[in-house]
Amino acid sequence: MTSLGHPQLSGLARNPAAPEDVLVRLAAHPAGRHGLSMRRGQLADAVVEALLTHGGGGAATMLRRDRISSGMRRRIAEHPDPAIRDARADSVRHSVDREVEVGIADLEKVYGRPRTALAGARDPKLRTAVAQAWHDRPMTVQAALLADPDPRVRAAATVRPQPGVPPEWTDRCVADPAVRANVAFYVPLTADQFAELMRTEDEEIREAVAGNPHLSADMVAQLLDIDDPNVRVAVAQSRHVNAETRDRLYALVEAEREAGSTAARTALNWCFTEPSWLREEPLDERLTYLDCRQPVFRRVLASCRDLPEEAWRRLDDDPDIKVRRTAARRPDTPPEVLERLVRAHGDEFHIRLQLVEHPNFPRHLLRTFVTELDPRVRYVALQDPELPVTALLQLAAAPEPFLRRGVARHPRATAALLNQLLADPTPDVADDAAANSVLPRSRMCRILSEADV
């Protein structure tokens, strides 16, 4: 998170309680400008003016329209310095030239034309940018992109399953080396199209085909003997494979992993597909997967919401932690199940909805997690906004930086505790301490003075 050698300045610039004069001073330092680029909400005009004065075109580049007033937008558009006046447009053009994805609204503003016109621009890199950014384009535009003479445009137009490939275009896409690996993953295939893709003997295409959810039983049967761990795992997840064949395919890949195969380890541990078709099966059929040896099937089952109580009891005790966490996200999970799971394994704070946010989670018990042995579980206590200062002091003394960072962000951290954390040897801890709105203004000014800002 931090950069430019001064985490306190970067964090202070993100502090929602930092007054305008402090933010103006921070704009004079590279670390302060870095923090201001991540600050939430609209910036005051005086802060924007300071950013332009000290940061020039680099600062202007990061000033999105929603972060500045209409007056400052006009000021930038009419600025006498072309490096500032043209900074945002130059950044967009540079991204297009490097084939880095840019928002469709930015493309329209910078190039001064509607997206329908940009889709037919003379520059193939600009057409590629439109294909990357305009996700809900109509099928008439999609057809034009699929027929584009530049392979980069055609490839960009087919990366995502939407808006899709019209059936009358499938033959052409299957025959096109620029897009066949993309469409092989999601387009319904005829027997002839499937055969044409397989004749390429291209590893990437075979793996894409194997993951296609629309394959027929005959197509899946033709993939069974391909010696590729990614193909085997994808085929094992097919609705057309029985339990015996599925177990055999997984066993082959597991044996390769144990023999040291990186490809097999990746196929088993980093496979992002799942047998989503299972959710559509009748309840009686789905329940047969309670005994499935492969956790991914039990995970999909646990994501359903109409299972009987006995099934939930078994899934709550599943040996796979991901299965248990998926099951625990149902609306009526008992409080004791949620507590037991989080107390044993902590929570997943990198995802949007944590288990501690579940309506049934016994949040009055959060502070009891402070004394747990596992630091990942102790971290859960910090989700209590009323956590006593004595508990915060205990967690602030932990050797794990992520625990100290959690304390630095806590709303009940005291000025004295934040002062301690501002001197933490881990830069991210100091950064978060400076960003805490509890930090007194006098301490903010000291941070600026110590940095000669």
Side-chain angles (χ1 to χ4, degrees):
M1 178 185 296
T2 61
S3 70
L4 307 171
H6 210 305
Q8 292 183 355
L9 292 182
S10 180
L12 184 55
R14 294 188 295 111
N15 193 316
E20 183 178 305
D21 63 312
V22 167
L23 299 180
V24 168
R25 291 173 65 182
L26 284 164
H29 194 285
R33 293 195 293 275
H34 173 72
L36 287 169
S37 72
M38 298 185 293
R39 184 180 178 83
R40 294 183 178 181
Q42 191 174 95
L43 297 171
D45 287 358
V47 178
V48 176
E49 193 66 62
L51 281 168
L52 297 177
T53 299
H54 298 288
T61 298
M62 65 89 173
L63 292 171
R64 301 189 311 272
R65 289 176 59 83
D66 61 334
R67 301 198 67 213
I68 58 179
S69 69
S70 57
M72 287 309 301
R73 289 199 292 271
R74 288 192 299 272
R75 165 91 169 105
I76 292 172
E78 300 167 359
H79 204 282
D81 184 349
I84 292 176
R85 185 175 64 243
D86 302 329
R88 187 68 181 169
D90 288 346
S91 174
V92 169
R93 291 191 181 95
H94 183 59
S95 295
V96 169
D97 187 61
R98 293 173 57 222
E99 299 183 36
V100 175
E101 189 167 343
V102 178
I104 189 65
D106 284 335
L107 292 174
E108 289 180 316
K109 176 175 174 56
V110 168
Y111 289 93
R113 300 166 66 189
R115 61 194 69 184
T116 50
L118 293 177
R122 292 182 60 184
D123 184 354
K125 289 186 176 180
L126 183 51
R127 300 197 302 275
T128 298
V130 173
Q132 291 172 330
W134 189 7
H135 300 160
D136 58 349
R137 55 189 177 270
M139 200 54 71
T140 53
V141 174
Q142 175 70 343
L145 295 172
L146 293 175
D148 197 280
D150 194 292
R152 293 169 298 181
V153 178
R154 302 197 301 276
T158 54
V159 167
R160 297 178 179 86
Q162 299 300 329
V165 174
E168 64 270 20
W169 280 86
T170 305
D171 276 340
R172 182 167 175 173
C173 288
V174 166
D176 185 352
V179 305
R180 57 166 57 127
N182 289 342
V183 301
F185 189 70
Y186 59 81
V187 171
L189 302 170
T190 65
D192 289 341
Q193 292 161 353
F194 173 85
E196 182 175 351
L197 289 170
M198 297 305 294
R199 278 196 297 271
T200 66
E201 297 187 355
D202 183 292
E203 180 179 297
E204 181 183 6
I205 291 174
R206 287 188 313 193
E207 292 177 358
V209 169
N212 190 314
H214 305 293
L215 299 184
S216 67
D218 181 63
M219 294 174 187
V220 171
Q222 296 180 57
L223 298 170
L224 289 175
D225 296 323
I226 293 180
D227 185 11
D228 180 319
N230 289 297
V231 171
R232 282 175 171 155
V233 169
V235 171
Q237 293 183 10
S238 169
R239 68 170 76 230
H240 300 301
V241 170
N242 59 34
E244 181 181 355
T245 302
R246 181 184 305 119
D247 289 346
R248 177 178 66 82
L249 292 171
Y250 269 102
L252 287 170
V253 181
E254 288 164 0
E256 291 182 62
R257 179 187 60 188
E258 296 307 312
S261 169
T262 300
R265 184 182 305 109
T266 301
L268 290 169
N269 298 337
W270 296 98
C271 178
F272 296 105
T273 61
E274 63 177 19
S276 55
W277 54 265
L278 182 58
R279 296 188 184 94
E280 305 165 6
E281 296 297 299
L283 178 59
D284 288 348
E285 174 65 19
R286 277 181 282 145
L287 291 177
T288 64
Y289 286 85
L290 279 169
D291 297 312
C292 184
R293 289 180 54 195
Q294 287 73 42
V296 65
F297 286 86
R298 305 196 303 275
R299 262 198 320 273
V300 171
L301 178 62
S303 70
C304 299
R305 294 293 176 259
D306 59 345
L307 306 183
E309 192 59 35
E310 175 57 27
W312 289 126
R313 279 196 291 269
R314 291 182 58 181
L315 292 168
D316 286 337
D317 291 327
D318 195 276
D320 186 273
I321 178 61
K322 293 181 180 179
V323 174
R324 299 201 297 280
R325 281 178 167 153
T326 302
R329 297 186 187 285
R330 65 190 187 273
D332 57 348
T333 309
E336 61 272 16
V337 171
L338 291 163
E339 183 199 351
R340 184 179 73 226
L341 181 56
V342 174
R343 200 175 287 278
H345 301 282
D347 209 344
E348 294 179 291
F349 292 100
H350 61 283
I351 65 174
R352 189 172 61 89
L353 295 175
Q354 292 86 44
L355 293 178
V356 294
E357 299 297 332
H358 193 291
N360 293 346
F361 189 89
R363 293 185 63 85
H364 64 283
L365 296 177
L366 281 172
R367 62 190 60 188
T368 67
F369 286 68
V370 171
T371 58
E372 294 290 337
L373 293 177
D374 188 335
R376 297 172 302 170
V377 179
R378 291 206 301 279
Y379 185 86
V380 174
L382 290 164
Q383 306 314 301
D384 180 356
E386 301 298 325
L387 195 65
V389 174
T390 53
L392 291 174
L393 289 168
Q394 181 178 341
L395 294 172
E400 296 83 9
F402 74 89
L403 277 173
R404 303 198 302 276
R405 285 191 72 185
V407 174
R409 293 190 292 264
H410 200 276
R412 291 206 69 188
T414 63
L417 183 51
L418 290 177
N419 193 53
Q420 169 190 324
L421 295 170
L422 283 168
D424 195 277
T426 300
D428 283 343
V429 177
D431 180 291
D432 282 332
N436 194 316
S437 60
V438 176
L439 192 70
R441 177 169 179 157
S442 59
R443 189 64 180 91
M444 296 182 188
C445 294
R446 269 184 56 200
I447 291 173
L448 295 172
S449 298
E450 289 167 0
D452 293 325
V453 175

